[in-house]
Amino acid sequence: MTDYMPPFTSTVDLQSCTITNVATTLSRRLADMRGLYADAQAEAALAASNPLIYEVHYAANIPEEAGQLSYCTTVLYPGKVGDEYFMTKGHYHAKGDRAEVYYGLQGEGCLLLQTPEGEVNFQVMKPGVAAYVPPYWGHRTMNVGAVNFVFLAVFPADAGYDYKTIADEGFASIVVERDGKPAVIANPRRAKK
Ligand code: F6R
Ligand code: ZN
């Protein structure tokens, strides 16, 4: 007999951008992202205040199994480390062939993607924009505005996270402020392949 999971709803609160039946909220501060920003001096200057960079609110009780879908909201706070915008750690999916959809809820953001070979792609995100992350692309978001940047993510529950590749090699490009606007430039800290 098939063991049917009960259907359910949850509310994505459009004020707080949390999910009502949240199981976990993950918070990442600057100290949780050591070495990911390009400007090491700017990072060191912010070390004492250790700002909160982003929070992720996960919907509850979804088994991390093939066939299931997980969803969560990410709230990325406004700010910069040097001239590089506050961003997520960025990851490939541990199961590389798993895709994902991001849906912009608040604020102004960017989605930076790259293939394992280092081809980079850049998408603008704002409320109402659905961004498709195809299989195999590593992905990272940044807040390029003055208020919180928030998006909903829906992804296969068994996708998993490979943070190590990004931590070891970095993204090929970074997003920095130039003349008051976001610009994509080569990452000076990118490890040579
Ligand atoms: C899940 C996903 C997002 C991110 C979140 C935080 O596959 O892409 O939910 O996990 O935006 O970013 P990371 O995980 O890179 O710290
Ligand atoms: Zn992902």
Side-chain angles (χ1 to χ4, degrees):
M1 273 264 292
T2 305
D3 192 9
Y4 293 106
M5 181 179 167
F8 64 93
T9 64
S10 64
T11 301
V12 178
D13 183 301
L14 292 176
Q15 293 295 311
S16 65
C17 289
T18 58
I19 296 176
T20 52
N21 61 343
V22 155
T24 13
T25 292
L26 176 150
S27 299
R28 290 220 209 271
R29 295 185 169 273
L30 186 63
D32 303 312
M33 305 180 70
R34 260 190 205 112
L36 293 183
Y37 288 93
D39 185 339
Q41 260 186 326
E43 186 184 326
L46 284 173
S49 63
N50 193 20
L52 180 61
I53 311 281
Y54 62 103
E55 290 169 308
V56 188
H57 305 282
Y58 294 94
N61 302 328
I62 298 171
E64 291 176 10
E65 291 169 358
Q68 299 279 357
L69 292 172
S70 289
Y71 60 100
C72 60
T73 55
T74 300
V75 179
L76 248 170
Y77 294 98
K80 290 194 294 280
V81 177
D83 55 11
E84 190 175 8
Y85 296 102
F86 278 9
M87 63 186 184
T88 55
K89 285 176 81 166
H91 60 270
Y92 291 92
H93 289 154
K95 287 191 164 58
D97 62 356
R98 300 313 197 248
E100 179 157 15
V101 171
Y102 283 179
Y103 183 72
L105 296 175
Q106 281 183 10
E108 293 170 67
C110 290
L111 168 63
L112 193 66
L113 307 103
Q114 87 175 17
T115 64
E117 287 76 29
E119 180 188 338
V120 172
N121 186 282
F122 171 87
Q123 302 292 330
V124 173
M125 287 196 65
K126 55 186 180 182
V129 169
Y132 190 71
V133 179
Y136 302 110
W137 287 81
H139 41 289
R140 165 182 281 169
T141 48
M142 44 285 303
N143 184 342
V144 299
V147 298
N148 293 352
F149 166 55
V150 188
F151 62 93
L152 177 79
V154 183
F155 52 100
D158 66 344
Y161 301 88
D162 166 15
Y163 289 109
K164 191 174 181 309
T165 305
I166 303 290
D168 290 351
E169 298 176 4
F171 265 73
S173 299
I174 59 172
V175 183
V176 294
E177 186 182 78
R178 289 282 183 273
D179 302 323
K181 289 193 304 250
V184 184
I185 63 166
N187 182 358
R189 255 175 127 165
R190 165 87 163 164
K192 298 274 175 297
K193 274 206 158 183

